[in-house]
């Protein structure tokens, strides 16, 4: 027990075991995505719960982020007389980074936790076993609809968040910072590149996938009773947030490395 | 004990058992639950497993269904060893089975009738309307009316959930049905209704059933044969008419519910 090398070894081995389990889980999920049957009704239902019902929280986040961004950038850029750059920096910051990342973090809390709690409860109350005995593959019936719905709806949510965020900045810009409305909008769109938006949306799709994957994985592997489900929920949220931050860096580096 | 009797003459071919467990072992970590379990169930037979709480009765059923993987041994279903089957092969085997879980395990995201019809709509791909009619009919057999059928399982009492689970297990009219404590939590009259229903499944549908129960009066009604699980093995199996005058001290203590006898009160 006391040997530090043994402790490191144990930690490393359990890390490898987790990576292995997660890879197998991901593999089984992805192979279930491409094989029949595909549960359309469940997928649409998940799009409603994951996407539509997340609109308020994502919209609020975006609105205030856009507003505060405009305010801060204005204060900062006023020091060297570059106030006219505010609209452009706001939109680039939102579409590239803050839109997808903040929406991802909010969804990780909201959706990841909900998925892990629901599937975890199904696991500990033998509902997953019952599903199998009724000849229904839990990956197809439970995991695939959530993965597909989250991967599709997160970019849509982020697109909406981008628009609402720009609007937040715009409102602050014209009402508080004295911008002319037409000039603000012109500056917003003139320098915006397609890449800014698409990179953000690609990130969003990846984040959505990771959130649903972590929720399903931890839900499926929860043990024990209520306490086990609670732990699964926490693990799902924490791991999805960490994976979002790491993958955000990796995707950014891949997109903009020159 | 396997009692594939030697007395049967060579000329009469012994029918293949529907279900046969050969030397099945299952441990959870250091805790050995099944320790070389042998059991065979013939076609159309109704076998009841009895045994103390926590001896591994539910684990046995889960090993047969493949929900738990036995550490060693064989689970032969219609002669085919099914241990380790996965994917489509496992699903094909499972089409033969219906299972009532001890906890009922109802899907709480679906209504009661959708639960009962699940094997029909999702497993067998039946139309929803037709499946609903069957589900309502099965629910009526377990004494639940249409109002309950349309509602949520979350509002049901423990005994009602059990009955919904039972209706779900028999809805697809499977060949082999497992009942894990079907009458626990039911009043005596409803218990009798369920006993008769299980007998009906065997007689009318020709199903083979394996039932776990602690309710000896129920066991006497539904069983052709009784098997007693103790220490990870079947320590006694015999016709239901033999349990009263069998010479096994464990069985004797168990069916009479005496405190004193070979069973020590083990603190695990
Ligand atoms: N998934 C599991 N992980 C670890 N141990 C388990 C698991 N399932 C069952 N066990 C253990 O196996 C033993 C047998 O459990 P099982 O549920 O089969 O008992 P049982 O005979 O059905 O009892 P009861 O009559 O109370 O339902 C118990 O000691 C239980 O703790
Ligand atoms: Mg049990």
């Amino acid at each position: 027990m006391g040997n530090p090398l043994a402790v490191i070894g144990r930690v490393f081995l359990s890390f490898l075991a987790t990576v292995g389990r997660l890879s197998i889980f991901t593999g089984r999920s992805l192979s279930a995505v491409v094989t029949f049957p595909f549960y359309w009704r469940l997928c649409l239902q998940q799009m409603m719960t994951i996407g539509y019902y997340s609109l308020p929280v994502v919209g609020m986040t975006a609105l205030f982020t856009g507003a505060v961004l405009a305010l801060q950038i204005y204060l900062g850029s006023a020091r060297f007389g570059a106030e006219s750059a505010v609209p452009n920096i706001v939109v680039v910051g939102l579409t590239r980074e803050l839109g997808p990342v903040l929406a991802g973090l909010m969804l990780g809390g909201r959706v990841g936790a909900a998925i892990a709690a629901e599937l975890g409860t199904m696991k500990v109350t033998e509902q997953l076993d019952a599903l199998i005995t009724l000849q229904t593959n839990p990956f197809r019936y439970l995991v695939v609809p959530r993965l597909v719905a989250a991967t599709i709806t997160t970019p849509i949510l982020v697109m909406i968040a981008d628009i609402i965020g720009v609007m937040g900045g715009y409102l602050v810009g014209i009402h508080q910072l004295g911008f002319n409305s037409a000039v603000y909008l012109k500056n917003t769109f003139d320098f915006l590149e397609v890449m800014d938006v698409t990179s953000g949306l690609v990130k969003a799709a990846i984040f959505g996938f990771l959130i649903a994957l972590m929720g399903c994985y931890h839900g499926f592997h929860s043990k024990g009773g209520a306490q086990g489900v609670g732990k699964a929920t926490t693990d799902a949220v924490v791991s999805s947030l960490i994976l979002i931050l790491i993958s955000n860096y990796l995707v950014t580096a891949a997109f903009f490395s020159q | 004990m396997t009692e594939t009797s030697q007395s049967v003459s060579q000329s009469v071919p012994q029918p293949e058992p529907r279900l046969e467990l050969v030397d099945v072992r299952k441990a959870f970590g250091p805790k050995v639950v099944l320790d070389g379990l042998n059991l065979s169930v013939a076609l159309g037979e109704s076998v009841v497993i009895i045994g103390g709480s926590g001896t591994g009765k539910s684990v046995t059923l889960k090993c047969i269904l493949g929900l738990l993987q036995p550490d060693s041994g064989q689970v032969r279903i219609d002669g085919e060893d099914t241990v380790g089957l996965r994917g489509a092969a496992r699903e094909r085997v499972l089409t033969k089975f219906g299972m009532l879980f001890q906890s009922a395990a109802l899907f709480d995201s679906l209504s009661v009738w959708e639960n009962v019809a699940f094997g029909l709509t999702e497993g067998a791909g039946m139309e929803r309307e037709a499946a609903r009619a069957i589900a309502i009919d099965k629910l009526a057999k377990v004494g639940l009316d249409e109002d309950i059928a349309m509602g949520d399982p979350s509002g049901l009492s423990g005994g009602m959930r059990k009955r919904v689970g039972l209706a779900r297990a028999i809805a697809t009219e499977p060949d082999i049905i497992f009942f894990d404590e079907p009458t626990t939590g039911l009043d005596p009259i409803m218990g009798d209704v369920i006993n008769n229903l299980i007998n009906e499944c065997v007689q009318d549908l020709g199903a083979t059933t394996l039932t776990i129960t602690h309710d000896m009066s129920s066991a006497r009604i539904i069983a052709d044969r009784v098997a007693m699980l103790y220490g990870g093995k079947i320590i006694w199996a015999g016709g239901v008419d033999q349990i009263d005058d069998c010479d096994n001290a464990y069985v004797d203590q168990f069916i009479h519910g005496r405190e004193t006898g070979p069973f020590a009160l083990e603190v695990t």
Side-chain angles (χ1 to χ4, degrees):
Chain A
M1 196 67 209
N3 186 345
L5 275 181
V7 174
I8 293 171
R10 241 193 318 273
V11 170
F12 185 64
L13 284 181
S14 83
F15 172 74
L16 285 187
T18 308
V19 170
R21 264 199 304 274
L22 185 57
S23 310
I24 292 171
F25 187 88
T26 312
R28 290 182 72 179
S29 306
L30 290 178
S31 77
V33 171
V34 295
T35 50
F36 280 96
F38 185 82
Y39 294 93
W40 285 104
R41 210 167 50 85
L42 295 177
C43 192
L44 292 177
Q45 217 172 313
Q46 287 303 321
M47 285 186 174
M48 283 299 278
T49 22
I50 294 174
Y52 186 70
Y53 293 121
S54 297
L55 265 177
V57 61
V58 170
M60 285 287 277
T61 313
L63 185 69
F64 285 100
T65 306
V68 89
L69 212 52
L71 213 51
Q72 288 283 22
I73 293 167
Y74 181 82
L75 295 175
S77 56
R79 290 178 195 159
F80 39 91
E83 295 94 329
S84 63
V86 168
N88 189 242
I89 298 179
V90 168
V91 74
V92 170
L94 276 172
T95 52
R96 278 196 187 187
E97 282 299 325
L98 292 172
V101 171
L102 289 181
L105 297 181
M106 297 309 266
L107 288 177
R110 188 184 175 279
V111 173
I115 292 177
E118 184 181 4
L119 299 193
T121 307
M122 291 186 74
K123 160 88 187 189
V124 301
T125 56
E126 299 182 315
Q127 291 181 50
L128 290 188
D129 287 345
L131 209 55
I132 294 169
T133 57
L134 293 162
Q135 304 122 51
T136 302
N137 181 329
F139 280 86
R140 278 193 209 117
Y141 189 78
L142 297 170
V143 177
V144 169
R146 286 165 175 79
L147 278 182
V148 171
T151 311
I152 292 176
T153 54
T154 313
I156 299 174
L157 278 173
V158 166
M159 190 116 80
I160 296 169
D162 288 348
I163 294 167
I164 294 178
V166 168
M167 205 179 73
Y170 168 85
L171 290 177
V172 170
I174 61 167
H175 288 300
Q176 213 177 331
L177 307 178
F179 277 91
N180 173 290
S181 166
V183 172
Y184 191 100
L185 289 180
K186 185 170 167 6
N187 279 0
T188 297
F189 294 113
D190 270 1
F191 298 99
L192 184 65
E193 287 175 19
V194 175
M195 196 57 154
D196 296 330
V197 179
T198 45
S199 71
L201 298 183
V202 169
K203 283 179 182 181
I206 294 173
F207 297 165
F209 178 82
L210 289 173
I211 291 167
L213 185 71
M214 285 299 110
C216 293
Y217 172 79
H218 288 287
F220 267 40
H221 288 86
S222 61
K223 290 193 187 69
Q227 203 177 14
V229 176
K231 183 173 179 312
T233 309
T234 312
D235 290 349
V237 173
V238 171
S239 59
S240 65
L241 299 194
I242 290 173
L243 285 179
I244 285 174
L245 295 176
I246 295 174
S247 64
N248 181 47
Y249 171 76
L250 294 177
V251 177
T252 307
F255 262 107
F256 301 108
S257 64
Q258 255 115 47
Chain B
M1 304 279 141
T2 48
E3 359 103 67
T4 39
S5 42
Q6 285 83 5
S7 58
V8 175
S9 73
Q10 299 296 92
S11 57
V12 181
Q14 188 75 12
E16 194 164 70
R18 195 85 233 239
L19 191 66
E20 192 176 18
L21 288 100
V22 184
D23 202 28
V24 171
R25 289 166 201 275
K26 176 74 190 170
F28 295 101
K31 187 181 168 75
V32 177
V33 177
L34 302 182
D35 188 15
L37 182 136
N38 291 291
L39 179 71
S40 81
V41 184
L43 185 73
E45 193 180 27
S46 172
V47 172
V48 165
I49 300 180
I50 57 174
S53 182
T55 46
K57 303 183 297 297
S58 300
V59 167
T60 306
L61 295 192
K62 287 182 185 170
C63 283
I64 299 173
L65 292 169
L67 299 172
L68 290 172
Q69 173 102 359
D71 299 332
S72 67
Q74 292 189 339
V75 176
R76 308 177 71 79
I77 295 164
D78 293 326
E80 178 194 4
D81 184 14
T82 62
V83 171
L85 286 188
R86 304 171 59 103
R90 171 60 66 188
E91 273 177 34
R92 176 179 51 76
V93 170
L94 285 172
T95 54
K96 298 179 185 175
F97 285 91
M99 164 87 179
L100 163 64
F101 284 84
Q102 188 168 0
S103 63
L106 303 182
F107 305 126
D108 38 32
S109 58
L110 301 177
S111 71
V112 169
W113 81 261
E114 284 172 324
N115 263 281
V116 176
F118 196 90
L120 299 167
T121 53
E122 306 300 336
M126 188 188 275
E127 286 293 319
R128 273 171 75 82
E129 280 311 308
R132 181 162 73 178
I134 295 176
I136 288 175
D137 177 55
K138 299 288 176 195
L139 283 165
K141 285 196 172 165
V142 295
L144 297 170
D145 63 23
E146 221 175 310
D147 279 348
I148 290 172
M150 295 302 158
D152 254 16
S154 57
L156 301 182
S157 76
M160 288 159 98
R161 297 173 69 86
K162 232 350 164 347
R163 286 186 276 155
V164 176
L166 200 135
R168 186 174 70 182
I170 62 174
T172 54
E173 307 196 343
D175 299 339
I176 309 172
I177 318 179
F178 293 167
F179 300 104
D180 197 341
E181 305 196 5
T183 54
T184 315
L186 301 183
D187 63 79
I189 299 170
M190 193 46 74
D192 201 46
V193 170
I194 298 304
N195 289 337
N196 290 332
L197 188 65
I198 292 174
N199 278 342
E200 217 174 272
C201 286
V202 176
Q203 279 150 19
D204 300 353
L205 307 177
T208 305
T209 65
L210 190 54
T211 307
I212 293 172
T213 190
H214 294 295
D215 176 353
M216 286 316 297
S217 62
S218 163
R220 285 171 205 276
I221 298 171
I222 59 183
D224 296 325
R225 221 148 53 83
V226 176
M228 169 132 196
L229 181 62
Y230 179 73
K233 295 183 176 67
I234 299 292
I235 55 162
W236 184 85
V240 67
D241 42 355
Q242 296 163 19
I243 53 174
D244 288 307
D245 41 32
C246 85
D247 50 8
N248 189 303
Y250 287 97
V251 177
D252 195 55
Q253 183 193 352
F254 193 87
I255 64 170
H256 294 105
R258 292 194 199 99
E259 197 186 342
T260 52
F263 280 110
L265 184 62
E266 285 164 17
V267 182
T268 44

